[in-house]
């Protein structure tokens, strides 16, 4: 089983990157997000998800563990195949995909080629809990008192769990959440952290 391939980018085409590893070229199907971070004839590392069928053996390559995790979550949804998963991640990248699921944004998902409203709704329904936003109350009414320490701790814990599911380390998460509103809900904390990580990257 391949975990990652590391070598020179020998071929770079829409949806395809060939990584030359000591004279062996690994053809990897990639998203536009990953492709945009690769450069021809320069070194790169892609995390690999393998797809083995009777008539085909495909490699799917991702620039980060976060993107790979999103792909694997997407393909766990009934009716979402590799092509649709790649299209969704190509349309918005892993950060926007995560925000779309957390906030129930069907439009972002249906912006991907071949993804209809029913599939988008199924993705949100099945993945919201897995990403971490579905098992707590996300919104606090402006008219209520500030969240108690227990509520705050619960929201923060859920946000950390969601970010860890995407492949971020505890140290990265702690740094990204530094300065966040202590009374914020899970959804707001995840948004805050993802934005911080994108700006840092």
């Amino acid at each position: 089983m391949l975990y990652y391939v590391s070598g020179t980018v020998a071929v770079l085409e829409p949806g395809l990157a060939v990584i030359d590893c000591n004279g062996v070229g690994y053809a990897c199907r990639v998203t536009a997000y990953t492709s945009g971070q690769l450069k021809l004839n320069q070194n790169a590392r892609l995390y690999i998800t393998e797809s083995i069928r009777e008539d085909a053996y495909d490699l799917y390559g991702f620039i980060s563990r976060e993107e790979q995790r999103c792909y694997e979550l997407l393909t766990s949804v009934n009716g979402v195949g590799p092509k649709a998963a790649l299209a969704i991640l190509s349309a918005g990248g892993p950060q926007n995909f995560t925000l779309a699921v957390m906030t129930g944004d069907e439009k972002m998902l249906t912006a991907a080629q071949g993804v209809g409203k029913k599939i988008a709704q199924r993705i949100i329904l099945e993945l919201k809990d897995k990403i971490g936003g579905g098992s707590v109350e996300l919104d606090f009414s402006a008219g209520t008192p500030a969240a108690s320490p227990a509520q705050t701790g619960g929201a923060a814990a859920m946000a950390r769990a969601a970010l860890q599911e995407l492949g971020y380390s505890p140290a990265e998460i702690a740094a990204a959440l530094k300065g966040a509103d202590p009374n914020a809900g899970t959804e707001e904390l995840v948004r805050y952290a993802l934005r911080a990580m994108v700006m840092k990257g």
Side-chain angles (χ1 to χ4, degrees), residues 3 23 38 65:
Y3 186 78
L38 301 177
R65 282 285 294 127

Side-chain angles (χ1 to χ4, degrees), residues 140 146-157 160 177-186 188-189 192:
F140 293 101
S148 69
Q151 287 175 311
T152 303
R160 286 194 295 269
L177 288 173
K178 188 176 181 180
D181 183 352
N183 294 324
T186 302
E188 188 177 346
L189 289 171
Y192 181 93

Side-chain angles (χ1 to χ4, degrees), residues 69-170:
R69 173 62 176 163
C70 289
Y71 171 84
E72 291 172 350
L73 284 171
L74 276 164
T75 53
S76 73
V77 176
N78 185 34
V80 180
K83 187 175 180 180
L86 292 179
I88 290 169
L89 292 173
S90 290
Q95 293 88 359
N96 285 340
F97 161 70
T98 302
L99 289 176
V101 173
M102 294 288 292
T103 60
D105 186 355
E106 295 175 15
K107 289 185 178 180
M108 182 269 159
L109 298 175
T110 55
Q113 186 175 3
V115 178
K117 186 174 181 178
K118 288 185 178 179
I119 290 293
Q121 290 173 338
R122 189 180 302 156
I123 289 169
I124 291 168
L125 179 66
E126 293 190 23
L127 296 187
K128 198 165 188 178
D129 285 345
K130 293 182 180 179
I131 288 178
S135 58
V136 295
E137 182 62 41
L138 297 180
D139 298 320
F140 293 101
S141 172
T144 59
S148 69
Q151 287 175 311
T152 303
M158 289 300 298
R160 286 194 295 269
L163 293 163
Q164 284 183 319
E165 282 292 307
L166 291 171
Y168 290 112
S169 70

Side-chain angles (χ1 to χ4, degrees), residues 1 61 73 75 79 91 110 143 146 185 190-191 195 198 200-201:
M1 180 178 178
L73 284 171
T75 53
T110 55
V190 171
R191 280 176 173 269
R195 287 197 188 101
V198 170
K200 182 179 178 181

Side-chain angles (χ1 to χ4, degrees), residues 47-83:
Y47 295 92
I48 299 297
T49 295
E50 297 173 282
S51 175
I52 303 173
R53 303 188 304 276
E54 288 185 7
D55 58 344
Y57 173 39
D58 294 319
L59 301 179
Y60 296 89
F62 306 94
I63 198 69
S64 67
R65 282 285 294 127
E66 173 194 6
E67 188 188 29
Q68 183 185 42
R69 173 62 176 163
C70 289
Y71 171 84
E72 291 172 350
L73 284 171
L74 276 164
T75 53
S76 73
V77 176
N78 185 34
V80 180
K83 187 175 180 180

